[in-house]
Amino acid sequence: MDPAMLRTVSDCAYLAPLAEEDKRWLAGICVRRVFQPGETLVRRGAPADSFFILRSGAVRLETDETGEDAAAGLEDGDLIGVEAALERAPHSYDAVALAAVEAAEAPAELFRARLEQRFEMTSALLAGASAQLRGAVNEITDLKLKSTTKRLAGFLYG
């Protein structure tokens, strides 16, 4: 097994609650992928046959056709497309490389089959998702409670 791939899986906050055995298994099925600036990792409306763990680079998520409704700021260890892969749904956004990107690609079907076999892995992923959601709720709550001036000051100086 590639030690760098295991490090990528282990460093992902969403996957952190997984047992070491499950992290090793996931690292073993991942494939290293490289994307050049402008290349698309996932395309809105396409089936989610896999998902990615960002190893390095910058990715923009575009949620509409114009590219104007976009969110940047994905960091190393962030997951791309896992929600669609778990739901067996098409991707709801385009993920476009802004700079050279290295990612670990995991096949969705194998991942879902493993989750069906190992309740412990499913439970650990739920804990990871819950922690991510809690962080997002705290961030949204913090933003809603601050005045526009305080939010702008926090953005500029934070």
PDB file of all heavy atoms in Angstrom, residues 126-141:
ATOM      1  N   LEU A 126     -20.743   8.532   9.856  1.00  0.00           N
ATOM      2  CA  LEU A 126     -21.827   9.372  10.355  1.00  0.00           C
ATOM      3  C   LEU A 126     -21.288  10.354  11.399  1.00  0.00           C
ATOM      4  O   LEU A 126     -21.664  11.532  11.408  1.00  0.00           O
ATOM      5  CB  LEU A 126     -22.936   8.507  10.940  1.00  0.00           C
ATOM      6  CG  LEU A 126     -24.186   9.228  11.407  1.00  0.00           C
ATOM      7  CD1 LEU A 126     -24.805  10.043  10.284  1.00  0.00           C
ATOM      8  CD2 LEU A 126     -25.198   8.223  11.938  1.00  0.00           C
ATOM      9  N   ALA A 127     -20.401   9.890  12.249  1.00  0.00           N
ATOM     10  CA  ALA A 127     -19.785  10.772  13.246  1.00  0.00           C
ATOM     11  C   ALA A 127     -18.971  11.872  12.563  1.00  0.00           C
ATOM     12  O   ALA A 127     -19.019  13.042  12.962  1.00  0.00           O
ATOM     13  CB  ALA A 127     -18.901   9.964  14.195  1.00  0.00           C
ATOM     14  N   GLY A 128     -18.231  11.517  11.513  1.00  0.00           N
ATOM     15  CA  GLY A 128     -17.456  12.509  10.764  1.00  0.00           C
ATOM     16  C   GLY A 128     -18.355  13.529  10.095  1.00  0.00           C
ATOM     17  O   GLY A 128     -18.085  14.733  10.123  1.00  0.00           O
ATOM     18  N   ALA A 129     -19.454  13.065   9.509  1.00  0.00           N
ATOM     19  CA  ALA A 129     -20.398  13.964   8.855  1.00  0.00           C
ATOM     20  C   ALA A 129     -21.051  14.878   9.881  1.00  0.00           C
ATOM     21  O   ALA A 129     -21.255  16.071   9.633  1.00  0.00           O
ATOM     22  CB  ALA A 129     -21.453  13.166   8.095  1.00  0.00           C
ATOM     23  N   SER A 130     -21.374  14.326  11.031  1.00  0.00           N
ATOM     24  CA  SER A 130     -21.994  15.112  12.089  1.00  0.00           C
ATOM     25  C   SER A 130     -21.053  16.221  12.565  1.00  0.00           C
ATOM     26  O   SER A 130     -21.483  17.364  12.776  1.00  0.00           O
ATOM     27  CB  SER A 130     -22.371  14.203  13.258  1.00  0.00           C
ATOM     28  OG  SER A 130     -22.926  14.941  14.301  1.00  0.00           O
ATOM     29  N   ALA A 131     -19.788  15.915  12.708  1.00  0.00           N
ATOM     30  CA  ALA A 131     -18.807  16.919  13.135  1.00  0.00           C
ATOM     31  C   ALA A 131     -18.681  18.028  12.089  1.00  0.00           C
ATOM     32  O   ALA A 131     -18.616  19.213  12.439  1.00  0.00           O
ATOM     33  CB  ALA A 131     -17.448  16.267  13.383  1.00  0.00           C
ATOM     34  N   GLN A 132     -18.686  17.648  10.821  1.00  0.00           N
ATOM     35  CA  GLN A 132     -18.622  18.644   9.752  1.00  0.00           C
ATOM     36  C   GLN A 132     -19.862  19.535   9.769  1.00  0.00           C
ATOM     37  O   GLN A 132     -19.779  20.749   9.633  1.00  0.00           O
ATOM     38  CB  GLN A 132     -18.490  17.955   8.390  1.00  0.00           C
ATOM     39  CG  GLN A 132     -17.227  17.161   8.209  1.00  0.00           C
ATOM     40  CD  GLN A 132     -16.022  18.033   7.976  1.00  0.00           C
ATOM     41  OE1 GLN A 132     -16.094  19.007   7.248  1.00  0.00           O
ATOM     42  NE2 GLN A 132     -14.910  17.694   8.598  1.00  0.00           N
ATOM     43  N   LEU A 133     -21.016  18.925   9.945  1.00  0.00           N
ATOM     44  CA  LEU A 133     -22.272  19.674   9.990  1.00  0.00           C
ATOM     45  C   LEU A 133     -22.300  20.621  11.184  1.00  0.00           C
ATOM     46  O   LEU A 133     -22.691  21.777  11.057  1.00  0.00           O
ATOM     47  CB  LEU A 133     -23.462  18.714  10.043  1.00  0.00           C
ATOM     48  CG  LEU A 133     -24.846  19.355  10.119  1.00  0.00           C
ATOM     49  CD1 LEU A 133     -25.101  20.255   8.915  1.00  0.00           C
ATOM     50  CD2 LEU A 133     -25.911  18.276  10.215  1.00  0.00           C
ATOM     51  N   ARG A 134     -21.857  20.132  12.327  1.00  0.00           N
ATOM     52  CA  ARG A 134     -21.818  20.969  13.529  1.00  0.00           C
ATOM     53  C   ARG A 134     -20.927  22.197  13.302  1.00  0.00           C
ATOM     54  O   ARG A 134     -21.280  23.309  13.668  1.00  0.00           O
ATOM     55  CB  ARG A 134     -21.338  20.164  14.729  1.00  0.00           C
ATOM     56  CG  ARG A 134     -21.388  20.928  16.034  1.00  0.00           C
ATOM     57  CD  ARG A 134     -21.046  20.105  17.266  1.00  0.00           C
ATOM     58  NE  ARG A 134     -19.920  19.203  17.125  1.00  0.00           N
ATOM     59  CZ  ARG A 134     -20.011  17.876  16.951  1.00  0.00           C
ATOM     60  NH1 ARG A 134     -21.184  17.298  16.894  1.00  0.00           N
ATOM     61  NH2 ARG A 134     -18.931  17.134  16.841  1.00  0.00           N
ATOM     62  N   GLY A 135     -19.789  21.991  12.657  1.00  0.00           N
ATOM     63  CA  GLY A 135     -18.896  23.108  12.350  1.00  0.00           C
ATOM     64  C   GLY A 135     -19.553  24.109  11.413  1.00  0.00           C
ATOM     65  O   GLY A 135     -19.439  25.327  11.606  1.00  0.00           O
ATOM     66  N   ALA A 136     -20.270  23.619  10.407  1.00  0.00           N
ATOM     67  CA  ALA A 136     -20.958  24.510   9.472  1.00  0.00           C
ATOM     68  C   ALA A 136     -22.071  25.281  10.169  1.00  0.00           C
ATOM     69  O   ALA A 136     -22.250  26.487   9.932  1.00  0.00           O
ATOM     70  CB  ALA A 136     -21.518  23.710   8.299  1.00  0.00           C
ATOM     71  N   VAL A 137     -22.827  24.604  11.011  1.00  0.00           N
ATOM     72  CA  VAL A 137     -23.905  25.275  11.748  1.00  0.00           C
ATOM     73  C   VAL A 137     -23.328  26.352  12.663  1.00  0.00           C
ATOM     74  O   VAL A 137     -23.854  27.466  12.737  1.00  0.00           O
ATOM     75  CB  VAL A 137     -24.751  24.257  12.548  1.00  0.00           C
ATOM     76  CG1 VAL A 137     -25.660  24.946  13.546  1.00  0.00           C
ATOM     77  CG2 VAL A 137     -25.559  23.386  11.607  1.00  0.00           C
ATOM     78  N   ASN A 138     -22.229  26.052  13.342  1.00  0.00           N
ATOM     79  CA  ASN A 138     -21.586  27.052  14.210  1.00  0.00           C
ATOM     80  C   ASN A 138     -21.112  28.261  13.403  1.00  0.00           C
ATOM     81  O   ASN A 138     -21.263  29.408  13.836  1.00  0.00           O
ATOM     82  CB  ASN A 138     -20.415  26.441  14.980  1.00  0.00           C
ATOM     83  CG  ASN A 138     -20.869  25.495  16.062  1.00  0.00           C
ATOM     84  OD1 ASN A 138     -22.013  25.543  16.506  1.00  0.00           O
ATOM     85  ND2 ASN A 138     -19.983  24.616  16.486  1.00  0.00           N
ATOM     86  N   GLU A 139     -20.558  27.996  12.234  1.00  0.00           N
ATOM     87  CA  GLU A 139     -20.072  29.083  11.382  1.00  0.00           C
ATOM     88  C   GLU A 139     -21.242  29.948  10.899  1.00  0.00           C
ATOM     89  O   GLU A 139     -21.172  31.178  10.935  1.00  0.00           O
ATOM     90  CB  GLU A 139     -19.328  28.488  10.182  1.00  0.00           C
ATOM     91  CG  GLU A 139     -18.596  29.491   9.349  1.00  0.00           C
ATOM     92  CD  GLU A 139     -17.764  28.829   8.265  1.00  0.00           C
ATOM     93  OE1 GLU A 139     -17.265  27.710   8.486  1.00  0.00           O
ATOM     94  OE2 GLU A 139     -17.635  29.437   7.200  1.00  0.00           O
ATOM     95  N   ILE A 140     -22.317  29.319  10.467  1.00  0.00           N
ATOM     96  CA  ILE A 140     -23.497  30.060  10.004  1.00  0.00           C
ATOM     97  C   ILE A 140     -24.101  30.862  11.149  1.00  0.00           C
ATOM     98  O   ILE A 140     -24.443  32.035  10.993  1.00  0.00           O
ATOM     99  CB  ILE A 140     -24.536  29.102   9.386  1.00  0.00           C
ATOM    100  CG1 ILE A 140     -23.999  28.545   8.065  1.00  0.00           C
ATOM    101  CG2 ILE A 140     -25.875  29.797   9.179  1.00  0.00           C
ATOM    102  CD1 ILE A 140     -24.780  27.368   7.525  1.00  0.00           C
ATOM    103  N   THR A 141     -24.220  30.233  12.303  1.00  0.00           N
ATOM    104  CA  THR A 141     -24.776  30.919  13.468  1.00  0.00           C
ATOM    105  C   THR A 141     -23.925  32.120  13.837  1.00  0.00           C
ATOM    106  O   THR A 141     -24.445  33.206  14.111  1.00  0.00           O
ATOM    107  CB  THR A 141     -24.884  29.955  14.662  1.00  0.00           C
ATOM    108  OG1 THR A 141     -25.707  28.853  14.277  1.00  0.00           O
ATOM    109  CG2 THR A 141     -25.473  30.630  15.875  1.00  0.00           C
TER     110      THR A 141
END
